Amino acid sequence: MAGRRDGLLMRGGSGGSSFRGSPIAFAIGVGILFGCVFAFLFPRGLFALPAAARRANMSIRSLQISSFPCESPERINMLKTELATLSEKNAELKEQVRKLSMKIQLSEQGKDQAEKQFLTLASQHKAGPFGAVKGLRTNPTVLPDESVNPRLSKILEKVALQKELIVALANSNVREMLEVWFENIKRVGIPNYLVIALDDETESLCKSKDVPVYRRPPDNRIDSVGKIGTNHAVSGLKFQILREFLQLGYSVLLSDIDIVYLQNPFDHLHRDSDVESMSDGHNNMTAYGYNDVFDEPSMGWARYAHTMRIWVYNSGFFYIRPTLAAIELLDRVAYRLSHESRSWDQAVFNEELFFPSHPGYDGLHAAKRTMDIYLFMNSKMLFKTVRKDAQLQKLKPVIIHVNYHPDKLPRMKAIVEFYVGGKQNALDPFPDGS
C-alpha cells in the first residue's frame, strides 16, 4: 500500500509540474496573438507620424538632398566630351562591322567561281559526260604592280573594299550632276567609290563634301581635256586612266555622272567575266541578243539571211576585272581613240569587244556578261516602258542611267523624287524621248 501511495505521490508531483508550466506557454501564445493583431491594425506602428508630418519630413529630406552642390561645369563638359568620344567610337565600330559584312558577302559571291578557275587551270582534265562540261569563264587576274602609281595605290588601299570600287571622272562642267551622283551613293551607303577630279574646282568640291577624290599628276593633254573637254572627250580619257587601276590589281565599276544609285551595285554583280556591262537595249531581245532575219528578195530561194543582233554595251557603266584581256581591251580602245579623230568611244569599245578574229585582225579573247536590264536600267527603258506599267513601277532598280536624254539633271532629280521620295507623278512631265 505504501508503495502504491508513493507511486501516486510521484505521479501527482509530475502532473503538478506540468500544470504549472502550461500558464507560461499560454501567456506566450497570447502575446504572439496580440502581436499579430497589432501588426495587422497598425502597420506603421502605434506612434507613426501623421500623413502631413510624413510629407513634411520627406520635403525636408529632399531639400537636404537638393542642397548638395551640383556637378561643376568643367566636370559636365568633360562628361559631354567623353560621351561624344564614345559615340564616335560606336559609329566607327558599326562601320567596321558593316564593311566586314560586305567583305564576307563578296567573298562568298566569288568563292565558287574562284574554285572553278583554280580547278580548271591547275591541270589538264578529261571531258566529262554529255552536258556536264563547263569551260573557263573567268580569266585569272594579273599580279598587282604598285610601282605604277604609289600615290594612287595608297588611296585605293583606304577606299576600296575587296579590291573593287566605283570610279567616276568629272570636271566642273558637270558639278550639279556630280552632286546628285555622290549624294545618292552616300544615301545608299556605298563606301567604296572614288571621283577622279579633272580640275581644281572638282577636287575642292569633293573635299568640301567629304567625297573620296583623286587628282592626277599634271599632264598637259589630260589637263586641257579635263578643263574644257566635252562629255565624249572626257569619256575617252577613262580608258587610259583605268589601266592604272587594273595594273594595281583592282576591279573597277566605271560610272558616268548621269547615273542615279538606288541600291548597292556590288550586291548584284556576277564577277564571272572580264567585262560586265549594262546594255543600251530596251527589252530582252535587244539587250540579250536575237536572230534577226535579213530579207533580200533578189536572191530567190536564199532570200532570207539570218543575222545575230545585240544592242551595244554602254561604255558609261561597266565592271572590269584586272585581267590581261581587260587591260588589252583598254589599250586597244585608247590607241584607236588617240589615232582616229572621229571615233566615238562607245562604238570603239563595242567593236573591240565583239568583232571576231578574221583575216588581218585578231579579235579580243575577253569574256563578256550583259547586266540585268531591269536592275541596271537605261533611261529609254524607264521613260518609254517602265513608268507606264503598274507592275514594272514596283521594281526597284539598282541604278538608272540617264544616257538617252540630254536634259539629264532634271530627269535625275525626278528619278530621285519618284523612287526615293515616293512622288508617283514625278516622271510624268517628261516625254519619252528628247
Side-chain angles (χ1 to χ4, degrees):
M1 294 292 293
R4 289 193 299 271
R5 188 165 51 248
D6 291 340
L8 288 170
L9 288 172
M10 291 176 65
R11 287 194 298 271
S14 176
S17 176
S18 175
F19 179 75
R20 284 193 302 272
S22 60
I24 296 173
F26 178 75
I28 292 172
V30 171
I32 292 172
L33 178 62
F34 273 85
C36 291
V37 172
F38 274 96
F40 181 77
L41 296 176
F42 304 97
R44 297 181 181 277
L46 288 171
F47 304 99
L49 291 173
R54 287 199 305 273
R55 287 195 294 271
N57 190 32
M58 290 175 66
S59 299
I60 291 171
R61 285 202 300 270
S62 65
L63 287 173
Q64 290 174 344
I65 293 172
S66 63
S67 66
F68 285 107
C70 296
E71 296 284 355
S72 64
E74 293 80 6
R75 175 64 176 167
I76 292 174
N77 291 333
M78 186 175 68
L79 291 173
K80 288 182 177 178
T81 303
E82 291 178 357
L83 180 61
T85 302
L86 290 173
S87 298
E88 290 178 0
K89 289 183 178 179
N90 185 43
E92 291 176 359
L93 287 173
K94 288 182 178 179
E95 180 65 16
Q96 290 176 5
V97 170
R98 190 180 65 79
K99 289 183 178 180
L100 286 173
S101 299
M102 289 182 64
K103 288 183 178 180
I104 292 172
Q105 183 179 2
L106 292 173
S107 297
E108 290 297 325
Q109 289 176 348
K111 180 180 177 182
D112 293 340
Q113 196 62 39
E115 288 178 352
K116 292 177 182 177
Q117 175 178 315
F118 175 79
L119 291 173
T120 304
L121 293 175
S123 59
Q124 291 181 311
H125 297 273
K126 292 182 179 180
F130 178 81
V133 177
K134 297 291 182 182
L136 180 64
R137 285 167 173 75
T138 307
N139 286 318
T141 56
V142 299
L143 289 174
D145 183 6
E146 294 183 4
S147 65
V148 171
N149 192 331
R151 186 167 71 92
L152 177 59
S153 178
K154 291 181 180 179
I155 294 174
L156 297 181
E157 286 178 2
K158 297 178 181 179
V159 175
L161 278 180
Q162 202 68 13
K163 302 287 286 186
E164 60 184 8
L165 73 161
I166 299 171
V167 174
L169 279 70
N171 60 18
S172 55
N173 294 335
V174 293
R175 177 190 175 105
E176 290 185 275
M177 284 196 294
L178 177 62
E179 291 190 54
V180 176
W181 181 84
F182 63 64
E183 283 171 0
N184 281 279
I185 283 181
K186 288 182 176 182
R187 179 186 53 77
V188 172
I190 304 169
N192 48 330
Y193 68 102
L194 180 69
V195 174
I196 299 177
L198 299 177
D199 53 33
D200 295 336
E201 292 81 3
T202 302
E203 182 183 19
S204 299
L205 170 66
C206 291
K207 289 182 176 179
S208 68
K209 299 293 185 178
D210 195 27
V211 171
V213 62
Y214 167 63
R215 184 77 162 94
R216 285 179 53 82
D219 183 304
N220 292 333
R221 187 184 58 79
I222 290 179
D223 286 347
S224 62
V225 174
K227 291 177 181 178
I228 62 175
T230 63
N231 286 341
H232 287 314
V234 172
S235 184
L237 285 177
K238 62 194 174 194
F239 298 99
Q240 298 180 49
I241 296 175
L242 282 183
R243 193 185 203 279
E244 292 184 353
F245 287 80
L246 270 58
Q247 284 182 278
L248 292 171
Y250 289 85
S251 297
V252 173
L253 183 57
L254 191 282
S255 173
D256 279 354
I257 300 302
D258 56 344
I259 291 176
V260 177
Y261 286 77
L262 302 171
Q263 297 185 62
N264 191 329
F266 293 109
D267 295 338
H268 302 272
L269 297 176
H270 290 264
R271 302 176 177 83
D272 63 349
S273 304
D274 299 295
V275 176
E276 191 170 345
S277 178
M278 74 171 295
S279 171
D280 272 0
H282 58 94
N283 54 33
N284 288 350
M285 286 179 57
T286 57
Y288 307 140
Y290 64 102
N291 181 6
D292 185 41
V293 180
F294 176 77
D295 183 11
E296 190 176 6
S298 63
M299 287 297 296
W301 175 81
R303 65 182 292 180
Y304 299 110
H306 290 259
T307 67
M308 300 308 300
R309 296 284 300 277
I310 184 173
W311 286 32
V312 296
Y313 282 176
N314 191 288
S315 62
F317 190 87
F318 60 86
Y319 180 80
I320 187 166
R321 297 176 59 251
T323 66
L324 290 176
I327 294 175
E328 184 183 358
L329 169 66
L330 297 180
D331 289 349
R332 287 183 177 215
V333 176
Y335 177 83
R336 286 186 56 185
L337 291 176
S338 64
H339 288 78
E340 301 172 8
S341 58
R342 305 186 69 177
S343 292
W344 177 32
D345 68 288
Q346 180 159 291
V348 174
F349 176 70
N350 280 271
E351 289 170 2
E352 294 299 333
L353 263 179
F354 288 97
F355 280 177
S357 297
H358 55 265
Y361 176 79
D362 289 330
L364 180 71
H365 293 260
K368 305 172 284 293
R369 171 180 280 272
T370 306
M371 292 177 173
D372 187 321
I373 59 175
Y374 291 99
L375 294 179
F376 300 91
M377 190 182 299
N378 60 57
S379 57
K380 180 176 182 177
M381 272 200 67
L382 174 64
F383 287 98
K384 188 176 179 181
T385 305
V386 173
R387 67 167 173 171
K388 301 175 183 179
D389 188 302
Q391 293 301 316
L392 293 179
Q393 284 184 17
K394 297 177 182 179
L395 298 175
K396 186 175 183 180
V398 175
I399 61 104
I400 296 178
H401 190 177
V402 188
N403 60 317
Y404 270 99
H405 301 88
D407 51 340
K408 297 180 181 298
L409 183 60
R411 289 188 188 249
M412 289 176 71
K413 292 180 178 179
I415 289 169
V416 175
E417 289 180 348
F418 181 81
Y419 283 102
V420 180
K423 187 178 179 182
Q424 295 300 309
N425 62 346
L427 304 178
D428 294 349
F430 299 93
D432 289 353
S434 57

